[in-house]
Every structure is written in structure tokens, then in C-alpha cells.
Amino acid sequence: MVSVINLMSRGLDGALDRQQALADNLANIDTPNYKRKDVDFISVLREESEKSSSLSLKTTNERHIAGSKTEANSFKSLALRESNYRNDKNNVDVDVEMAEVAKNGVYYNTLAKQINDQFRILKDVISKGGSQ
Amino acid sequence: MFDSFDVSSSGMTAQRLRMDIIADNIANVNTTRNAEGETYRRKVPVFQEKDTSSFKKLLKARLGQDSSAEGVEVVSIAEDQSPFKIIYNPSHPDADEEGYVEMPNIDISSEMVDMISASRSYEANITALNTAKNMALKALEIGRG
């Protein structure tokens, strides 16, 4: 259960990174020669969830907690260079960016809600055990 | 977390400066002399992707990350070097010996188009800022229920 929450919180981090890249694209919408950026975190997360190997901490006592792997943000930031569709060699398409901003926002909110629900389940389990 | 707020606000600042410059151009559409006695030239903002500060850049390189988004900045305000409009108006005090006056190289309709474009880009940045804000507020709700 904790690892599910961990994975989802990495998803939140990724969506936040992505939001920044999208904001940068919109800020540079009139900058000549600017190429749009994006963050590919879904594939990193997919890899991670498939591996699901945890890096354990060194323990000197069997009652020590091993810990689990929580990496710093290492999502790949991509600058996409293939297309030019404007005279100033800027390839930011405002329609695409706004749609991505909307998608990313909904993704983030959904993930936050799911994490919240996980915690609510934990709380329910704990409190139901206490009442006689 | 707040970096994307700064990125969006840099976009808004740049678009507002662009709007100021357009307003200046439109206001000076008939200006035949500035403080130096020359005809007004159309001004254009020069946009550039903001460079990451060197410390941040080094730190990110050390962590194996790409330098991330930093927003936009206006590096200079250039003057449009296209030729002035010449009109025949001998009664104008700035007319030359043959009666021609140099008028600023401003085209009102292209300024209006730029103005709408600046205003729409500003709105797009606000939308991105609002989305980031809602995401941040949603994160605050985690663990509240």
C-alpha cells in the first residue's frame, strides 16, 4: 500500500515538472527559434513500477526498517525539434499546449484524489479496529 | 513547485511589456520629431528564452538533469529599420525643401493585430498559472479527509 502511494506521489512530481515545461512553452510563444519542451515521466514511472525493486538501506539490526527507493526527480526533459510551422522557427502550437495543460491538470487532480482515498482507507482501517 | 508560477508570470510580464510598446507605437503614429529632432521609429521587443542561472545549471548538470524551464525575458527593445513613409505636405513644419515629410514607419493595422496577439498570449499564460495554482491547492488537500 505504501509503495502505491509512493508511486503516485512520483506521478504528482512528474506532472508538476511537466506543468513547468508547458508553462515555459506558453511563456515563449512569441520567442523566435524556440522549440517546445515536454517531460516524459509516464515512461519513467512505468519502468519503475515494472521493476518494483527497492533499494534497501543497510541495517545492523533486524528491527531496523529497510526503507524504500525514492529517487530525486530524474524525469527526462525533451526538447522537440522536428517541426517548424511558423516563419520565426518557433514550433509552439497554442491549441496543443492548452489541451496539454488541461490534461495535465486533470491528471494531477485525479492522482491527488487517489492518494487521498488511499489515506482514507488507511484511516478507516485504523479507526474501525478501535471501536468495540 | 513554484517555479512554474514564475515561468508563467515571466510570460505575462513579457506580453504586457509588448502591449506597452504597441501602445507607444500607436500613440506616436504621427510623431515627426523626438527629443533629437528625428522621426519616430517603430519599436519592437526582442524576446529570448531565459537562461538558467549558472549555479542552478551546474547543480542540475551534476544531478544528471537537463536544465529546466525558466521562462522568457525581453532582452532589448529594437527599432524597426524599415523605411519611413514619405508624404507630400509642404505646410508641415518638418517638411524638406521639396515639401515631403517623413512619417513614422508604423502600420496601424499590423499594430492592432499584434495587440490582439499579445492579449491572447497573456491570457494563455494566465490559464497556465491558474492550472498550476489549482494543482498546488489540490496537493494541500491530501490527507485532509
Side-chain angles (χ1 to χ4, degrees), chain A residues 12 15-16 19-32 34-35 37 72-78 94 98 101-102 104-106 108-113 115-116 119-120 123, chain B residues 1 3-4 7-8 10-11 14-15 18 47-50 56 65-73 117-118 121 123-125 127-129 131-132 134-136 138-139 141-145:
Chain A
L12 289 182
L16 218 52
Q19 172 63 30
Q20 199 181 333
L22 298 175
D24 200 31
N25 293 340
L26 285 168
N28 282 290
I29 197 158
D30 292 307
T31 308
Y34 177 84
K35 301 294 178 199
K37 288 187 192 123
N73 286 353
S74 57
F75 301 121
K76 284 171 264 179
S77 155
L78 318 163
V94 71
M98 296 317 289
V101 164
N104 200 46
V106 172
Y108 188 93
N109 290 350
T110 312
L111 221 49
K113 186 175 174 359
I115 293 177
N116 230 348
F119 279 123
R120 190 170 301 127
K123 192 183 155 203
Chain B
M1 172 153 217
D3 284 356
S4 70
V7 168
S8 291
S10 82
Q15 296 298 342
R18 187 173 164 218
F47 284 17
Q48 189 186 299
E49 200 182 348
K50 207 186 259 182
K56 210 169 173 183
Q65 292 176 16
D66 300 316
S67 61
S68 63
E70 287 293 303
V72 67
E73 63 185 341
S117 157
S121 300
E123 285 167 12
N125 278 295
T127 306
L129 180 63
T131 307
N134 286 335
M135 284 161 72
K138 200 80 190 171
E141 284 173 19
I142 294 175
R144 245 200 216 165

Side-chain angles (χ1 to χ4, degrees), chain B:
Chain B
M1 172 153 217
F2 298 113
D3 284 356
S4 70
F5 288 41
D6 297 339
V7 168
S8 291
S9 75
S10 82
M12 285 158 70
T13 308
Q15 296 298 342
R16 206 145 53 83
L17 178 62
R18 187 173 164 218
M19 187 67 99
D20 287 349
I21 292 166
I22 293 166
D24 197 25
N25 286 338
I26 293 175
N28 282 294
V29 70
N30 288 319
T31 306
T32 52
R33 57 178 98 161
N34 60 11
E36 289 87 43
E38 289 161 351
T39 309
Y40 180 89
R41 273 191 188 279
R42 173 175 177 257
K43 292 189 176 69
V44 277
V46 181
F47 284 17
Q48 189 186 299
E49 200 182 348
K50 207 186 259 182
D51 204 14
T52 319
S53 67
S54 61
F55 173 74
K56 210 169 173 183
K57 203 182 255 175
L58 278 174
L59 189 67
K60 291 212 171 222
R62 196 94 178 101
L63 289 169
Q65 292 176 16
D66 300 316
S67 61
S68 63
E70 287 293 303
V72 67
E73 63 185 341
V74 177
V75 282
S76 69
I77 297 168
E79 289 193 332
D80 185 345
Q81 295 302 317
S82 62
F84 291 124
K85 284 184 231 165
I86 311 289
I87 58 158
Y88 183 69
N89 185 1
S91 61
H92 196 286
D94 290 326
D96 62 12
E97 303 85 61
E98 286 154 20
Y100 289 100
V101 189
E102 282 184 337
M103 298 302 283
N105 51 351
I106 296 163
D107 176 21
I108 284 287
S109 43
S110 81
E111 295 301 324
M112 296 303 283
V113 170
D114 278 359
M115 193 173 83
I116 302 298
S117 157
S119 150
R120 290 288 181 264
S121 300
Y122 188 86
E123 285 167 12
N125 278 295
I126 292 178
T127 306
L129 180 63
N130 273 334
T131 307
K133 198 175 81 184
N134 286 335
M135 284 161 72
L137 292 175
K138 200 80 190 171
L140 282 181
E141 284 173 19
I142 294 175
R144 245 200 216 165

